[in-house]
Amino acid sequence: MSDKFDVIVIGAGPAGYVAAIRAAQLGLKTACVDAFTGKDGKQALGGTCLNVGCIPSKALLDSSKQFHNLTHNFAVHGISADNPKIDVATFIGRKDKIVKQFTGGIGQLFKANKVTPYYGTGKLLKGNNVEITAADGSKQTISATNVILASGSVPIELPFAKFDGKMIVDNAGALDFTEVPKRLGVIGAGVIGLELGSVWKRLGSDVTILEALPDFLSVADADVAKIAAKEFAKQGLAIKLGAKLTKAEVKKNEVALTYEDKDGVHELVVDKLLVAVGRRAYTTGLLADDTGVKLDERGRIVVDAHNHTGVDGVWAIGDAVRGPMLAHKGSEEGVAVAEWIAGKAGHINLDTVPWVIYTEPEIAWAGKTEKELKEAGIPYKVGTFPFAAIGRAVAMNEAIGQVKIIAHAETDRLLGAHMVGPGVSELIAEAVVTMEFKGSAEDLARIVHAHPTLSEAVHEAALSVDKRAIHKGN
C-alpha cells in the first residue's frame, strides 16, 4: 500500500469533488481519484458537468442567446446591427476557456484543502482498497477507512445509432461542432436535447427533435410543458412527439433517419445527429467482484437513505445512485456523506431538489405536480400568475410564461412550484427554501418582494392560491 487515507473518493464530478473538499474541511485525510482528460491532454477535474455538461452548455446557451437577440430581438429596443455573423471557432473557444478556468479552480481548491488528487481510473477492491490504473496502464493501490463512490453517468447509446463523434454525437460532441450544421437532428426532447437543440437553432440550424413519448416534458407540470412547447414552436424548433427512431445510417456527409409515429414510417435527412435519450449510471470497472457492493436492475449502486452501500465504510453518491441525475443533488449528497463520516448531521432531501431547463424561456420546478398529487389522492389548491403582468418582464421584452404554486388544500403547506419564463432558474430557489422549511403559500404571500422584479410573479402566484392576487383577476 502506497498510502492510507481516511476518505478516498472515486470520481471528481460535482458529487465527488464536493465530497472530497467537505471531508478535508472536516479534518479527514482525503484523496480523490479521477480519469477525465481535458482537451490539453491533462487531468480535468469536474467530471461530465464541468467538462462536457452543465457549464459548457450554459456558456454556449448564453453566447447563442446574445446572437439571437442581436438578429431577432434588439430591433424593438431601437438597436440594429448590419450583417451580424457568428465565428464558431471563437464561440467554441470561449466555452473551452471557461471550462479550463473552472477545472483549474477545482485543482486550486484541492490544494487549499489538502485533498490529494490521483489521475487514473479507480476500482474498489475488497477491504476498502482502491486500485488506480493510469493512462499508461501502470497501477497502484491506496486504502482508506471510507470510500465514496461517485463514478457518475454516461449517455445512453442506441444500438442502431452508435456514437461516432463526428456525424452521430452525444452531448460532448454537440458542444464541439466546428460549424453550424444546416440540418440538426436531435433524438430526445429532454433537458440535453432541448438545450443543445436551442443553441444551434439560434445560430441558424434547422433543428428537428424526435421524442418517442407521446407527451412533451411529461416529467414537468402539464401547464408549464404546454406553454414551453408553444414557445419552442414559435422559435422554429420542430418537435415531433410519439416519434420513435428505428434507423440511422451515415451516408457520406449526411445521416439518413427512419422513424415511426402514429401516421406511419417517415424519412429524415440531417447533417448531424445528437442522440440525447438519457443517461445511465457508470459503474463499468468500478467494483471488484468480491466487494459486496450491489447494483440494482438499472445498474445503479444500491444505497440506503444515508447513501451507505451496506458494506462497512463504502458510500455512493450522485448519478450512480437513485434519485435525479442532477449536479446539485450529487453535490449535496457529497456534503451529507462527508458529514456523516465525520459523525455530524448530514442532510439531503430528494423531495425538494429543483429541476431547471436553461432554454428560452427557462423552465424550473420543485416538489409535486398536479398529476402526482391527483394520483396520490392529496387535496390541493393552485395559484398562478403570468409574466405578462409583471412590469420588469415586460420592460425586458421577456413577458412569456407563468409561475404556478401548489399548496395543500387543508394545511396550505407548499407542495410544488412550477415555472416557465425569464429567470426562473433563480426564482425556483425561493420555493425550495419555503418547502424545505415546511412553509405555506401564505408565507410566500406575506413576504415583501421588491418592485419591479421578476420575483413578484412568485408573490402574486402565492396570493392567487387563495384568490387574492392583486394584479390579475381572481
Side-chain angles (χ1 to χ4, degrees), residues 119-461:
Y119 189 13
T121 301
K123 181 177 185 177
L124 177 67
L125 307 178
K126 187 177 181 179
N128 295 1
N129 298 311
V130 174
E131 180 184 77
I132 304 169
T133 303
D136 62 5
S138 61
K139 299 178 185 293
Q140 64 175 307
T141 301
I142 58 177
S143 64
T145 306
N146 292 275
V147 177
I148 302 175
L149 305 173
S151 53
S153 62
V154 292
I156 294 173
E157 187 175 46
L158 298 175
F160 46 83
K162 290 186 175 297
F163 303 128
D164 61 19
K166 182 180 178 183
M167 304 297 293
I168 302 177
V169 302
D170 58 8
N171 57 289
L175 291 168
D176 271 338
F177 290 151
T178 56
E179 60 183 10
V180 179
K182 291 183 179 179
R183 300 162 299 179
L184 174 63
V186 179
I187 309 303
V191 177
I192 295 172
L194 290 172
E195 289 185 356
L196 293 180
S198 293
V199 165
W200 296 106
K201 175 60 184 176
R202 293 172 190 167
L203 301 186
S205 185
D206 182 8
V207 179
T208 302
I209 302 177
L210 304 181
E211 170 55 56
L213 295 176
D215 299 317
F216 178 67
L217 277 184
S218 58
V219 295
D221 179 82
D223 290 339
V224 163
K226 183 178 180 180
I227 294 171
K230 183 177 179 180
E231 290 306 311
F232 295 150
K234 287 181 181 179
Q235 294 169 16
L237 279 176
I239 302 175
K240 300 182 182 298
L241 301 175
K244 298 181 180 179
L245 182 71
T246 58
K247 185 178 181 181
E249 186 177 3
V250 177
K251 297 180 178 179
K252 294 184 179 180
N253 293 319
E254 297 179 332
V255 186
L257 308 179
T258 302
Y259 68 93
E260 298 177 359
D261 62 14
K262 60 182 177 58
D263 297 320
V265 178
H266 307 273
E267 306 290 335
L268 176 67
V269 177
V270 296
D271 299 294
K272 300 283 186 182
L273 179 66
L274 164 61
V275 178
V277 295
R279 298 180 66 85
R280 60 176 177 81
Y282 180 62
T283 55
T284 303
L286 177 67
L287 305 168
D289 293 337
D290 58 355
T291 63
V293 176
K294 295 180 174 59
L295 303 180
D296 67 13
E297 68 282 355
R298 294 172 59 182
R300 301 174 301 186
I301 300 167
V302 176
V303 294
D304 62 16
H306 290 82
N307 289 80
H308 193 260
T309 65
V311 176
D312 189 34
V314 180
W315 314 72
I317 58 178
D319 285 4
V321 303
R322 80 287 180 265
M325 288 184 171
L326 298 170
H328 42 282
K329 173 261 194 183
S331 293
E332 292 306 316
E333 285 180 327
V335 169
V337 166
E339 293 177 346
W340 284 321
I341 288 172
K344 297 185 178 297
H347 170 81
I348 176 69
N349 181 2
L350 298 182
D351 291 332
T352 57
V353 175
W355 291 68
V356 179
I357 304 177
Y358 296 86
T359 46
E360 293 292 333
E362 291 183 343
I363 305 165
W365 70 91
K368 301 296 184 182
T369 64
E370 278 199 71
K371 180 181 178 182
E372 290 171 332
L373 293 171
K374 286 178 181 177
E375 291 175 347
I378 298 173
Y380 66 90
K381 50 188 177 178
V382 175
T384 63
F385 198 81
F387 281 103
I390 296 295
R392 181 71 187 278
V394 174
M396 294 166 58
N397 198 38
E398 295 184 40
I400 298 297
Q402 70 171 18
V403 171
K404 179 176 181 177
I405 298 294
I406 306 176
H408 195 286
E410 298 165 359
T411 67
D412 197 43
R413 181 173 174 177
L414 193 63
L415 300 175
H418 307 273
M419 309 176 183
V420 55
V424 297
S425 59
E426 304 292 344
L427 298 183
I428 194 64
E430 180 177 10
V432 172
V433 169
T434 303
M435 286 188 284
E436 190 66 30
F437 283 92
K438 299 178 173 56
S440 66
E442 177 74 5
D443 290 325
L444 277 177
R446 291 291 182 186
I447 294 171
V448 178
H449 289 66
H451 173 77
T453 63
L454 298 175
S455 69
E456 289 178 282
V458 179
H459 186 214
E460 290 273 8

Side-chain angles (χ1 to χ4, degrees), residues 61-81 84 201-203 235 360 396-398:
L61 279 162
D62 189 73
S63 292
S64 64
K65 178 182 178 179
Q66 306 305 328
F67 183 74
H68 185 265
N69 283 340
L70 182 62
T71 54
H72 291 81
N73 296 335
F74 280 170
V76 71
H77 297 282
I79 302 170
S80 61
K201 175 60 184 176
R202 293 172 190 167
L203 301 186
Q235 294 169 16
E360 293 292 333
M396 294 166 58
N397 198 38
E398 295 184 40

